[in-house]
Amino acid sequence: MRLVIARCSVDYAGRLTAHLPSAPRLILVKADGSVSIHADDRAYKPLNWMSPPCTLKEGTGEQEGIWTVVNKAGEKLIITMEEVLHDSSHELGVDPGLIKDGVEAHLQELLADRIDTLGEGYTLIRREYMTAIGPVDILCRDADGATVAVEIKRRGEIDGVEQLTRYLELLNRDPHLAPVRGVFAAQEIKPQARVLATDRGMECVVLDYDALRGIEDDKLRLF
């Protein structure tokens, strides 16, 4: 990535025309070929940009200080440099991508570790309880010893209710587990999904991710 801070003016010529008068700005030139011009007053959104694939040509001689960026459609971004205040390049390498916090797997781990969030006296049988049609997120027992199947989603929608329905139909065929009731747990449950789950005798539980992370774990640990 190349970072250039310069006093410059910018002209765009394409399906329409646009002009940015002279001012100090940040110009980002990325490895993918994109070029974007930024001000210091509008968060991440650039004032103007050219998406890849495009080519950047820096003028020489009488054209020195004039950058011309052209995309495959022939549109041009012309940057006229008046004063370069900073110019540096940095090799960032391949980015591993965003690792999202609060995904279903982490919610499952947190809830399994704090299963009494579902109610006093709940005990965990196991996470990822395998069935012939896939794993149930959490299988546990309530205070009365009854089996409970928990399906966890970040956003609870009708397809999640249908998924839990299929698990319950299968689990209730096992005499060692039956009767099995369902809990549909999510950070957010859509109204239609709540109506369908309730109609099918399932309990709906809204999970507070921050609260789950903040609950003290009373298990003894070595470290």
Side-chain angles (χ1 to χ4, degrees):
M1 179 183 288
R2 185 178 178 187
L3 307 176
V4 178
I5 299 175
R7 178 174 291 278
C8 63
S9 60
V10 183
D11 291 279
Y12 169 80
R15 289 166 293 179
L16 47 81
T17 59
H19 175 72
L20 292 173
S22 176
R25 297 187 176 95
L26 168 65
I27 303 165
L28 297 183
V29 183
K30 294 186 178 181
D32 63 4
S34 63
V35 178
S36 56
I37 296 96
H38 298 259
D40 202 18
D41 65 348
R42 55 187 61 213
Y44 64 89
K45 187 175 181 180
L47 296 165
N48 214 327
W49 68 94
M50 194 70 81
S51 300
C54 56
T55 58
L56 167 62
K57 181 179 179 181
E58 297 184 42
T60 59
E62 292 183 357
Q63 296 295 310
E64 186 175 1
I66 298 177
W67 290 15
T68 304
V69 187
V70 184
N71 66 11
K72 63 180 181 179
E75 298 170 316
K76 294 182 179 180
L77 198 63
I78 301 169
I79 307 170
T80 303
M81 305 287 191
E82 298 172 12
E83 181 184 7
V84 176
L85 305 172
H86 175 85
D87 188 345
S88 64
S89 297
H90 307 270
E91 181 58 52
L92 302 185
V94 178
D95 192 90
L98 178 67
I99 300 174
K100 294 184 178 180
D101 192 17
V103 295
E104 290 171 17
H106 198 196
L107 283 168
Q108 181 193 117
E109 179 184 353
L110 288 168
L111 186 58
D113 206 34
R114 300 161 174 83
I115 197 65
D116 56 1
T117 300
L118 297 177
E120 187 176 350
Y122 272 68
T123 57
L124 178 69
I125 296 176
R126 67 168 298 168
R127 291 171 53 196
E128 297 287 326
Y129 185 88
M130 188 55 64
T131 73
I133 57 173
V136 177
D137 287 334
I138 291 178
L139 198 67
C140 57
R141 295 192 188 280
D142 63 18
D144 298 322
T147 310
V148 181
V150 185
E151 180 64 26
I152 299 172
K153 300 291 184 186
R154 293 188 68 190
R155 177 179 293 176
E157 300 189 42
I158 285 177
D159 59 348
V161 177
E162 296 288 1
Q163 184 178 358
L164 180 55
T165 299
R166 293 191 294 270
Y167 287 142
L168 290 173
E169 289 176 353
L170 194 62
L171 291 170
N172 273 300
R173 297 177 193 172
D174 186 338
H176 298 291
L177 297 175
V180 185
R181 64 182 179 86
V183 170
F184 189 53
Q187 288 179 285
E188 173 192 359
I189 300 177
K190 295 294 185 178
Q192 300 92 331
R194 184 181 291 276
V195 169
L196 181 61
T198 302
D199 184 66
R200 294 183 178 178
M202 301 172 187
E203 180 184 352
C204 291
V205 174
V206 175
L207 299 175
D208 185 329
Y209 180 61
D210 290 332
L212 279 174
R213 289 192 302 177
I215 294 174
E216 289 288 334
D217 190 349
D218 60 1
K219 293 182 175 64
L220 295 176
R221 301 186 185 275
L222 293 175
F223 303 101

